Amino acid sequence: MLARYELNRERDETIFVGAECDNVCNVHFHRKVEVMYVLEGEKKIFASGKELTLRGDNIYFANSYEMHGYAESPGSRQTVIVFPNLMLRDFYDVFGDKIMNGCVVDDAGFCRSVLPHFEALAEGKCNKLVMQAHCDMLLGSVAEKLGYSEGTRGRQGFVDGLLAYINEHYADEINLDVMAEHFGYSKYYFSRMFNDALGTSITDYVSAVRLMHTLETMKSKGCTASEAALECGFSSIPTFYRVLKKNYNYKAVKDLL
């Protein structure tokens, strides 16, 4: 299934909490940082193309733009927190150019030591200053526990530039040649940089963004799927339906249309 860029998630500047439940979602990615604490049971997740199983008192850390998804896991219970960009300024300042040495912390003692930060953030009753302190302590502690190495300098800026360009021009003709020329790279080098940064191809990523805009346009304008798809950059209606079916199962497609 095509990983989905969560455009709506990017626009929401409130903290998202999925508290003490079996969180389930399709494979997706976004700029925001997402953290899961497994409270009990075994939780199956998909992280950067791999299927992993987390157990009680394990933490999963999804850094910016890392693809991840959560499979239904009966008997499992977790708390998931997605931090808005406004709360991530300190994290980006310190770790924006770093590559984490993994995504799972399975040291139960350490995980229990940071659990109070999860609980305080999930409850959401602290003032903004204290909430920010809990965010910084949680993310900083988990990043230090995972360990990190120096990444490509400017990676965050490169990815932000990509997203800004595509979100502005998604209805236009966008392909490897056009984007490589715009950003000043050879198309082969740019393709490799794009895949390394986002873990997907330019074609798949642009299709995901167009799909999100198409669904939004259908809701906001009350137009047909065909009208919205062509307005949002799909070259043909069959292409739109092919991308839609890659992103959603049969029942979801029927509900959307």
Side-chain angles (χ1 to χ4, degrees):
M1 182 180 64
L2 179 65
R4 181 162 57 92
Y5 171 54
E6 288 204 329
L7 184 64
N8 290 336
R9 178 83 71 198
E10 298 290 29
R11 294 172 175 172
D12 186 359
E13 277 302 325
T14 60
I15 189 170
F16 170 83
V17 178
E20 300 192 15
C21 60
D22 183 22
N23 289 271
V24 178
C25 63
N26 291 328
V27 177
H28 64 284
F29 59 99
H30 41 68
R31 185 187 182 194
K32 298 178 179 181
V33 172
E34 186 168 335
V35 186
M36 169 191 285
Y37 192 108
V38 180
L39 298 164
E40 63 181 29
E42 294 188 348
K43 180 62 178 176
K44 292 183 178 180
I45 70 170
F46 304 95
S48 299
K50 297 180 181 179
E51 182 174 330
L52 305 174
T53 300
L54 278 68
R55 295 171 175 79
D57 291 317
N58 282 185
I59 291 174
Y60 169 65
F61 177 88
N63 207 349
S64 296
Y65 307 120
E66 289 184 348
M67 295 187 182
H68 57 283
Y70 307 141
E72 184 177 0
S73 304
S76 177
R77 190 166 55 94
Q78 324 88 41
T79 291
V80 171
I81 298 177
V82 183
F83 294 95
N85 292 315
L86 289 175
M87 293 185 73
L88 293 170
R89 290 171 177 170
D90 294 339
F91 178 81
Y92 291 147
D93 283 344
V94 178
F95 298 104
D97 288 343
K98 307 296 190 298
I99 297 175
M100 296 297 126
N101 299 333
C103 61
V104 176
V105 179
D106 57 7
D107 181 336
F110 168 83
C111 293
R112 285 192 292 269
S113 74
V114 298
L115 181 57
H117 299 303
F118 272 90
E119 295 171 336
L121 289 162
E123 189 174 7
K125 293 184 179 180
C126 308
N127 64 54
K128 291 175 63 175
L129 188 61
V130 175
M131 287 284 283
Q132 184 64 58
H134 283 298
C135 169
D136 291 348
M137 285 296 297
L138 175 60
L139 297 184
S141 298
V142 171
E144 289 290 345
K145 182 66 176 179
L146 288 171
Y148 50 86
S149 56
E150 295 297 327
T152 302
R153 181 171 293 277
R155 175 181 181 272
Q156 192 76 54
F158 173 72
V159 175
D160 288 346
L162 288 178
L163 298 187
Y165 180 85
I166 293 173
N167 286 333
E168 182 178 353
H169 298 281
Y170 65 89
D172 303 330
E173 181 180 0
I174 300 180
N175 55 43
L176 176 58
D177 291 330
V178 170
M179 292 196 67
E181 181 178 355
H182 175 80
F183 285 93
Y185 299 100
S186 74
K187 64 179 183 180
Y188 303 106
Y189 182 68
F190 182 80
S191 178
R192 188 177 68 187
M193 288 179 67
F194 192 101
N195 277 271
D196 288 346
L198 294 179
T200 188
S201 70
I202 292 173
T203 299
D204 284 352
Y205 178 79
V206 172
S207 294
V209 173
R210 285 173 174 162
L211 177 60
M212 292 297 296
H213 280 285
T214 299
L215 298 177
E216 286 187 341
T217 300
M218 288 171 60
K219 292 179 181 179
S220 64
K221 294 187 176 182
C223 57
T224 66
S226 298
E227 292 169 337
L230 294 176
E231 179 180 331
C232 293
F234 282 103
S235 59
S236 68
I237 305 308
T239 300
F240 162 71
Y241 281 107
R242 185 167 61 251
V243 173
L244 180 64
K245 290 175 182 178
K246 284 183 179 180
N247 277 268
Y248 297 95
N249 59 35
Y250 177 75
K251 181 179 183 303
V253 169
K254 288 183 65 179
D255 292 342
L256 287 167
L257 302 180

